[in-house]
Amino acid sequence: MSEAEIRERVKHIFSEHLGKHGHRKTPERFAILDEIYSHTGHFDIESLYVYMKNKKYRVSRATLYNTIELLLECGLVSKHQFGKNQAQFERSYAYKQHDHLICQDCGKVFEFCDPRIQQIKLTTEQFLEFDIASHSLNFFGKCRKLQHNGTCEHLKNGPNRLS
Amino acid sequence: MSEAEIRERVKHIFSEHLGKHGHRKTPERFAILDEIYSHTGHFDIESLYVYMKNKKYRVSRATLYNTIELLLECGLVSKHQFGKNQAQFERSYAYKQHDHLICQDCGKVFEFCDPRIQQIKLTTEQFLEFDIASHSLNFFGKCRKLQHNGTCEHLKNGPNRLS
DNA sequence: TTCACTGCAAACGCTTTGCATATGG
DNA sequence: CCATATGCAAAGCGTTTGCAGTGAA
């Protein structure tokens, strides 16, 4: 699916969600969705705020928090806490399931993907009689190939299929 | 291992850790360790503070944060972020590996244990050349057997072995 | 004696809330 | 119209920091 197509689809999904729940379809909400889907990778509210301010949008932090909440509800954005107090977010439509590996030396967050997590999820659902909506798996550790500049160069940021 | 024995062992481990790193062995630090190991389950700094204050300890939040940091370093306590901004902690010596299931209806946190997570960890270490020190796996969902009082009565708080 | 550690309170940073104004339905 | 959403700023709240006094080594 092309990026342009994704943009259209998420707009439609968001619009449906707002309609179904009696929320207004304000230009701010769609502008925020569009900004989020114009990038990849993780972001926090503050950097999204600064970024939109720099582009001369008239937007407030309050509206960003409000809108992110709506986007979480309809699954277009996912939220992470990588041990710090500031929440991290990422666009999640049309992006493969993945988990995170956090380097305790350089602080960087890498993505990987291991399908076995789905089996654990299924077993847990069956045995504990839960309907699992989402999960978060984080590994914390140190890279054996840490470079002098403090980064793990051999790791790409895209999901790596394992097993 | 009995609770009394655990208490002695963690005191010894903490003492060794403090000695090895040139930290002082203050009574406050051992009092905090003892309080933490006199309970099971999750706790946050504020409730530990209130609890110790009620027991007439003269302790400050600053020292609690300081000491928890030392306890994290030597693996006697582990830290969790279940989606809220307040960190949760739990004693981790002589307690089997487990992960968490968070009920989105009642907010309760349950424990379960699935050995397959270890395989995922090993594969990730091999393929991505990381030394993984710890992990956190959280499942978020809703209990199919939610009671009228808003709790999931059939789930025990102890780890349930799956698979 | 010395300097790391302590309690206290102020500062900090992320998030939420209150309120007057604006606007979608 | 008018209830909901917005921007702004203040308040909230968990955590960190600064500092003068304390006590472990």
Side-chain angles (χ1 to χ4, degrees):
Chain A
M1 207 183 315
S2 73
E3 281 292 306
E5 202 175 342
I6 289 174
R7 297 267 200 118
E8 282 315 302
R9 294 225 193 163
V10 296
K11 248 177 255 186
H12 181 253
I13 291 169
F14 194 30
S15 185
E16 291 283 296
H17 179 82
L18 293 174
K20 192 164 69 181
H21 292 80
H23 297 305
R24 291 185 183 169
K25 299 175 184 179
T26 68
E28 289 84 358
R29 288 175 173 169
F30 287 97
I32 292 165
L33 174 64
D34 222 49
E35 275 310 312
I36 291 172
Y37 272 81
S38 73
H39 297 89
T40 53
H42 302 111
F43 64 91
D44 56 62
I45 296 288
E46 188 60 22
S47 55
L48 181 59
Y49 176 74
V50 170
Y51 188 81
M52 291 186 78
K53 276 290 182 186
N54 286 344
K55 287 179 71 172
K56 310 301 177 211
Y57 275 108
R58 191 167 179 274
V59 73
S60 70
R61 272 174 265 254
T63 301
L64 288 176
Y65 281 103
N66 169 348
T67 303
I68 283 277
E69 194 57 42
L70 296 169
L71 292 171
L72 288 170
E73 282 173 15
C74 57
L76 294 176
V77 164
S78 61
K79 178 179 180 175
H80 305 286
Q81 302 248 191
F82 298 125
K84 284 168 293 182
N85 297 319
Q86 190 180 44
Q88 297 281 113
F89 301 88
E90 67 184 333
R91 48 185 270 194
S92 52
Y93 180 75
Y95 197 58
K96 71 196 297 187
Q97 180 270 316
H98 65 276
D99 292 293
H100 298 96
L101 182 63
I102 297 100
C103 178
Q104 294 175 320
D105 282 321
C106 69
K108 285 220 174 67
V109 176
F110 302 99
E111 300 179 356
F112 69 94
C113 124
D114 193 315
R116 287 175 293 185
I117 191 69
Q118 293 306 323
Q119 266 107 62
I120 297 180
K121 183 188 148 190
L122 285 172
T123 307
T124 306
E125 284 189 309
Q126 279 174 25
F127 278 69
L128 302 183
E129 301 182 78
F130 241 71
D131 290 320
I132 295 172
S134 65
H135 80 269
S136 84
L137 169 62
N138 298 321
F139 283 128
F140 300 89
K142 298 184 184 215
C143 180
R144 294 194 208 110
K145 287 197 168 178
L146 195 69
Q147 307 293 307
H148 290 300
N149 58 13
T151 61
C152 315
E153 295 295 346
H154 71 295
L155 290 169
K156 303 300 170 216
N157 209 10
N160 302 283
R161 158 131 339 213
L162 303 182
S163 84
Chain B
M1 207 183 316
S2 74
E3 282 292 307
E5 202 175 340
I6 289 175
R7 297 267 200 120
E8 282 315 304
R9 295 224 191 164
V10 296
K11 247 177 255 188
H12 181 253
I13 291 170
F14 194 30
S15 185
E16 291 283 296
H17 179 82
L18 293 174
K20 191 164 68 178
H21 292 80
H23 297 305
R24 289 185 182 168
K25 300 174 185 178
T26 68
E28 288 83 358
R29 288 175 173 168
F30 287 97
I32 292 166
L33 174 65
D34 221 49
E35 275 308 314
I36 291 172
Y37 272 81
S38 73
H39 296 90
T40 53
H42 301 112
F43 64 92
D44 57 62
I45 297 287
E46 189 60 22
S47 55
L48 181 58
Y49 176 74
V50 171
Y51 187 81
M52 293 187 78
K53 277 290 181 186
N54 285 345
K55 287 178 74 173
K56 310 298 176 211
Y57 275 108
R58 191 166 178 273
V59 73
S60 69
R61 271 173 267 254
T63 301
L64 288 176
Y65 281 103
N66 169 348
T67 303
I68 282 275
E69 193 58 40
L70 295 169
L71 292 170
L72 287 170
E73 282 172 18
C74 56
L76 293 176
V77 163
S78 61
K79 178 179 179 176
H80 305 287
Q81 301 248 195
F82 298 127
K84 285 169 290 182
N85 297 319
Q86 192 180 43
Q88 297 282 113
F89 300 89
E90 67 184 333
R91 49 185 269 195
S92 52
Y93 180 75
Y95 197 58
K96 70 197 295 187
Q97 178 270 318
H98 64 276
D99 292 292
H100 298 96
L101 183 63
I102 297 101
C103 178
Q104 294 175 321
D105 283 321
C106 68
K108 284 221 175 65
V109 177
F110 302 98
E111 300 179 356
F112 69 94
C113 126
D114 192 314
R116 287 174 293 184
I117 192 70
Q118 293 306 323
Q119 266 107 61
I120 296 180
K121 182 188 149 188
L122 286 173
T123 308
T124 306
E125 283 189 310
Q126 280 173 25
F127 279 69
L128 301 183
E129 301 182 78
F130 241 70
D131 290 321
I132 296 172
S134 66
H135 80 269
S136 84
L137 169 61
N138 298 321
F139 283 128
F140 299 90
K142 299 184 182 215
C143 180
R144 293 194 209 109
K145 286 197 168 178
L146 195 70
Q147 307 291 307
H148 289 301
N149 58 11
T151 61
C152 315
E153 295 294 347
H154 72 295
L155 290 170
K156 305 298 169 217
N157 209 10
N160 302 281
R161 158 131 338 215
L162 304 181
S163 83

